[in-house]
Amino acid sequence: MLTTARDPARARTTDIQTSALAAEALRPIGGEFAFLPFAAGIVGTGMLAVPVLAGSAAYAVAESFRWPIAWA
């Protein structure tokens, strides 16, 4: 993490506005295919968020209809 955090500053890429610019800033470390681990991390983060969003949506629907919410 420290190497990744330090590298964009060394490459003088400090104003990162999009995910494409963040992946491009990792090019000095990963070379031409630096976007692959970055993309895998973004997709993995999204996959981890799906159960949380589904659970919170289920609780919101149950509370709006005043259904009993059962704990496992």
Side-chain angles (χ1 to χ4, degrees):
M1 285 175 36
L2 292 174
T3 304
T4 304
R6 202 184 74 162
D7 190 63
R10 189 169 28 136
R12 294 187 177 35
T13 306
T14 56
D15 187 27
I16 297 174
Q17 299 292 328
T18 65
S19 59
L21 288 174
E24 185 67 28
L26 296 176
R27 185 178 289 261
I29 292 174
E32 184 178 343
F33 296 105
F35 68 93
L36 287 176
F38 186 80
I42 295 293
V43 170
T45 302
M47 296 297 269
L48 285 173
V50 169
V52 174
L53 293 173
S56 64
Y59 275 102
V61 169
E63 287 181 1
S64 66
F65 287 113
R66 295 189 178 154
W67 293 339
I69 300 172
W71 291 91

